[in-house]
Amino acid sequence: MDDAVPETPPAAEEEPARDSAAPAPLNVPRTPTGDAGVDAALGRLGDADHLATDGHVEVYEDVHRGLRDALTALDVRPGPPAPPTPPGPRS
């Protein structure tokens, strides 16, 4: 029988206490869309991670404006040409 005292495991490093009122990253994943303008606007959402809650509105409004502009730009682009008009009846 072994009378040795079991070795106490080393203490884990304690994480510093986090202030619940301090800004914290949301770590929301953002999947690239393939559109550079849209991806840039969505990437801007990460800026809110480092701001207090009252600073989020400015970021969200900026992102909303960028996404709205991207959608508006879709309406401005010329679409495909209209199909040719069939000839009318001959008289």
Side-chain angles (χ1 to χ4, degrees):
M1 190 183 275
D2 191 353
D3 291 331
V5 177
E7 193 174 313
T8 306
E13 291 184 28
E14 292 184 28
E15 292 183 24
R18 195 179 84 65
D19 179 7
S20 63
L26 297 175
N27 297 320
V28 175
R30 289 179 288 278
T31 305
T33 64
D35 182 291
V38 171
D39 290 341
L42 294 177
R44 172 106 166 83
L45 289 173
D47 294 346
D49 287 350
H50 309 288
L51 299 173
T53 306
D54 60 350
H56 289 192
V57 172
E58 182 180 339
V59 173
Y60 295 156
E61 287 178 346
D62 184 45
V63 171
H64 181 258
R65 190 172 25 258
L67 294 174
R68 188 179 58 230
D69 291 347
L71 286 173
T72 301
L74 293 174
D75 291 337
V76 175
R77 289 187 205 159
T85 307
R90 294 185 182 178
S91 13

